[in-house]
Amino acid sequence: MNCWNCGTANDAAARFCIQCGAPQARTCPVCRHENPAGARFCANCGSPMTDAAASVPVSAPAASTPVAERRLVSVLFVDLVGFTSASEGRDPEETRELLSHYFELARGTVERHGGTIEKFIGDAVMAVWGAPTAHEDDAERAVRAALELVGAVAQITDDKVALRARAGVLTGEAAVTIGAEGQGMVAGDLVNTASRLQGAAEPGTVLVGEATYRAASNAIKFEPAGEHLFKGKASPMAAWRPIAVVARRGGSGRASTLEPPFVGREDELRQLKDLFTATGRESKPRLVTVIGQAGIGKSRLAWEFEKYLDGVVDPAYWHEGRSPAYGEGVSYWALAEMVRRRSGIADGDEAGEARKKLVAMLEEFVPDAGERRWIEPRLSGLLGLAELPSEGREELFSAWRTLFVRIAERAPVIMVFTDLQWADQGLIDFIEDLLGWARSSPILVLALARPELSERRPDFGATVRSVTRINLEPLSDEQMGTLLSGLLPGLERSALEGIVERAEGIPLYAVETVRMLLDT
């Protein structure tokens, strides 16, 4: 191994050069990660490994002098529309409290999506992704944050003013000063153009540039927003308007068929987000039951919730399982599905291979070897890989719930039980047992069911400390019209009214009618 400083050959295990004494591990100037001597870029954060950085011993504190460089970043500008005029005549203290709430909302939204607040300018917010830490999906994160923030601002109201926001997101190279966070970290033409792009957006909407559109279009649905000529630009700039997040990060899970817009359940989704945040903050379990007839949107609500969680930086372990309406060996089917997916067990795996994956999963989440030996045969029995131990149900429940408690020690756990109205009584008992026993674990159980669940088990959740029930009602005719217009723009009014009347507020009926018409 040759010294990076003087070129002298050194032993591979040498910590300092035998000729010049330079340290042979190169420390990243941004994240302080120790890299091999010949590294040109940091293996942890991707920052360039400058010679100045290499001369800093591993144990030394980070350099206090800011480092300037060019980086690919995504810049977000958000401002309030008409806030200055709306504030005239208001009590200054009320205005300050309203702005403080807005700034707190902006900071929380940006940070949840992995961005950094650069500065507040009056009632405008500037945030950046890609500095000081870069991710491969920074552009998508920025658009997700913009959509969420613009939507959330519309919910901030008081007796005198209803707030509306608009936003712009632009991706490209900019001058970045590492170590100058909150002090002009990002500068250049990109910043000015992003600000002007935001000013061109209609109230309640977001505009993005071409690079952002291309980087985020796998997971986010866009529509063209025309060309805009900005001051100082020789030619117009094309813009796109993000409509909705339609997949997990990178495009995973995107529907291959038409997906209707998410309409009429915004309050319920916001409630789920708040309950999840409280679950993690308080480190306590919660039960949320979502009740509604078939096709009314229970699964869609859960899908929107999953996409949201997938886009934020705070880790969470998502588990989902469905209770089938009939069949043999379905008593704990939904729970078994959750364990299979957590273990990475595929449908075609032979028993030996499946058991190896199960053991590997337990080694990852259950530190104690004795506890793993106790849990494994009871999970193998649950998955049908072996005979269940001949013991009481209490012992099985104890082993199964211990797994999820151990996972929750790493990060909050979400368990989504779909079609719980068809579940065996044993599974419903297990859910209550889990939530009653894991009193200091951040576990959120989301139970999706038809009203029949209440008829079968009217006291479901009675022993759980924190229970929330969300009843989904049919959509209004206006909401159904919005859904259909978003699903199939240009639909003739007579056809739209006919479908709305037949659907009776059930989104699935309307969507399937449109798909049938398109097929024929």
Side-chain angles (χ1 to χ4, degrees):
M1 179 177 70
N2 294 331
C3 173
W4 62 270
N5 188 43
C6 68
T8 301
N10 286 270
D11 184 84
R15 297 184 60 197
F16 297 90
C17 176
I18 59 175
Q19 179 65 29
C20 68
Q24 295 305 288
R26 306 192 71 181
T27 305
C28 174
V30 177
C31 70
R32 314 309 299 161
H33 179 73
E34 186 175 338
N35 291 270
R40 296 180 60 194
F41 295 89
C42 176
N44 185 53
C45 71
S47 300
M49 296 294 296
T50 63
D51 287 346
S55 65
V56 180
V58 174
S59 60
S64 59
T65 303
V67 179
E69 60 187 51
R70 294 189 68 82
R71 277 200 183 185
L72 180 68
V73 298
S74 293
V75 175
L76 163 67
F77 267 92
V78 183
D79 83 340
L80 300 180
V81 181
F83 180 73
T84 302
S85 59
S87 299
E88 293 179 358
R90 287 174 58 90
D91 180 79
E93 185 65 21
E94 292 179 354
T95 300
R96 186 192 66 80
E97 290 181 2
L98 195 61
L99 272 179
S100 296
H101 181 31
Y102 160 59
F103 290 149
E104 182 181 351
L105 175 66
R107 186 179 296 279
T109 302
V110 167
E111 291 178 352
R112 276 197 304 275
H113 289 84
T116 300
I117 293 290
E118 169 76 336
K119 55 189 171 184
F120 296 110
I121 316 163
D123 59 14
V125 178
M126 176 186 168
V128 61
W129 281 255
T133 304
H135 307 88
E136 62 180 13
D137 57 355
D138 278 323
E140 182 187 322
R141 292 170 182 262
V143 179
R144 282 174 174 262
L147 285 170
E148 182 177 341
L149 183 53
V150 167
V153 165
Q155 304 302 315
I156 303 177
T157 62
D158 62 14
D159 295 336
K160 300 176 182 178
V161 61
L163 297 185
R164 299 190 75 188
R166 58 186 175 193
V169 181
L170 209 58
T171 300
E173 283 195 342
V176 176
T177 304
I178 304 299
E181 182 177 337
Q183 307 171 29
M185 180 173 60
V186 181
D189 180 66
L190 182 78
V191 175
N192 297 329
T193 307
S195 176
R196 290 173 180 142
L197 183 64
Q198 164 258 306
E202 295 292 328
T205 68
V206 181
L207 289 182
V208 309
E210 182 171 3
T212 307
Y213 160 71
R214 295 190 181 281
S217 58
N218 285 337
I220 297 172
K221 180 182 178 182
F222 291 87
E223 66 180 16
E227 294 187 333
H228 300 262
L229 182 60
F230 298 125
K231 182 179 179 181
K233 295 292 183 180
S235 57
M237 188 183 80
W240 283 262
R241 184 178 298 107
I243 303 302
V245 178
V246 294
R248 304 183 192 95
R249 281 182 296 155
S252 172
R254 184 161 185 165
S256 57
T257 58
L258 288 173
E259 182 173 275
F262 185 64
V263 176
R265 311 294 187 205
E266 294 83 1
D267 291 344
E268 290 83 357
L269 178 59
R270 192 175 303 108
Q271 189 175 5
L272 288 181
K273 294 177 182 179
D274 292 342
L275 289 169
F276 168 75
T277 300
T279 299
R281 181 181 64 248
E282 299 170 3
S283 194
K284 293 181 180 178
R286 274 178 169 78
L287 170 63
V288 181
T289 58
V290 179
I291 305 296
Q293 59 184 292
I296 204 163
K298 301 183 295 294
S299 297
R300 178 59 186 274
L301 179 61
W303 171 231
E304 294 297 323
F305 185 41
E306 181 183 2
K307 288 186 292 184
Y308 164 75
L309 291 176
D310 185 66
V312 300
V313 294
D314 294 332
Y317 290 105
W318 180 274
H319 306 82
E320 186 170 357
R322 180 182 298 275
S323 295
Y326 55 87
E328 295 183 4
V330 298
S331 297
Y332 300 100
W333 188 276
L335 183 63
E337 277 193 338
M338 295 180 183
V339 176
R340 285 192 193 95
R341 291 172 180 171
R342 174 56 53 205
S343 304
I345 298 173
D347 291 340
D349 286 346
E350 295 182 353
E353 179 64 20
R355 204 154 187 172
K356 287 180 181 178
K357 292 180 178 179
L358 177 63
V359 169
M361 183 272 289
L362 288 173
E363 289 176 347
E364 178 182 359
F365 290 102
V366 183
D368 184 79
E371 202 168 53
R372 291 199 300 270
R373 287 192 295 270
W374 170 62
I375 295 174
E376 191 275 331
R378 291 157 181 84
L379 287 181
S380 293
L382 172 69
L383 303 184
L385 304 175
E387 291 291 331
L388 275 173
S390 56
E391 58 195 9
R393 193 175 68 170
E394 292 75 14
E395 188 78 5
L396 293 175
F397 280 10
S398 179
W400 297 345
R401 74 194 180 205
T402 298
L403 169 64
F404 291 99
V405 168
R406 295 292 173 261
I407 297 174
E409 291 173 354
R410 301 269 295 271
V413 166
I414 299 97
M415 302 174 71
V416 182
F417 292 90
T418 303
D419 287 331
L420 196 62
Q421 74 279 355
W422 288 327
D424 183 88
Q425 291 291 349
L427 179 62
I428 299 176
D429 290 341
F430 169 75
I431 294 172
E432 292 187 323
D433 178 82
L434 168 68
L435 294 173
W437 185 82
R439 295 187 176 182
S440 59
S441 298
I443 299 176
L444 175 66
V445 170
L446 183 59
L448 312 180
R450 298 180 188 177
E452 293 94 292
L453 175 65
S454 300
E455 299 171 5
R456 284 186 53 203
R457 191 74 171 253
D459 61 342
F460 176 56
T463 60
V464 180
R465 290 189 174 186
S466 180
V467 181
T468 302
R469 176 174 172 133
I470 299 175
N471 293 304
L472 296 186
E473 299 295 335
L475 298 181
S476 67
D477 288 353
E478 181 181 358
Q479 291 170 332
M480 290 292 288
T482 301
L483 182 149
L484 289 168
S485 297
L487 180 65
L488 195 62
L491 184 65
E492 291 185 4
R493 185 171 184 81
S494 59
L496 186 148
E497 292 175 348
I499 296 173
V500 168
E501 183 179 357
R502 291 183 182 182
E504 297 181 340
I506 308 301
L508 181 64
Y509 297 170
V511 172
E512 291 304 317
T513 299
V514 169
R515 288 175 178 164
M516 180 186 67
L517 291 173
L518 291 176
D519 289 341
T520 58

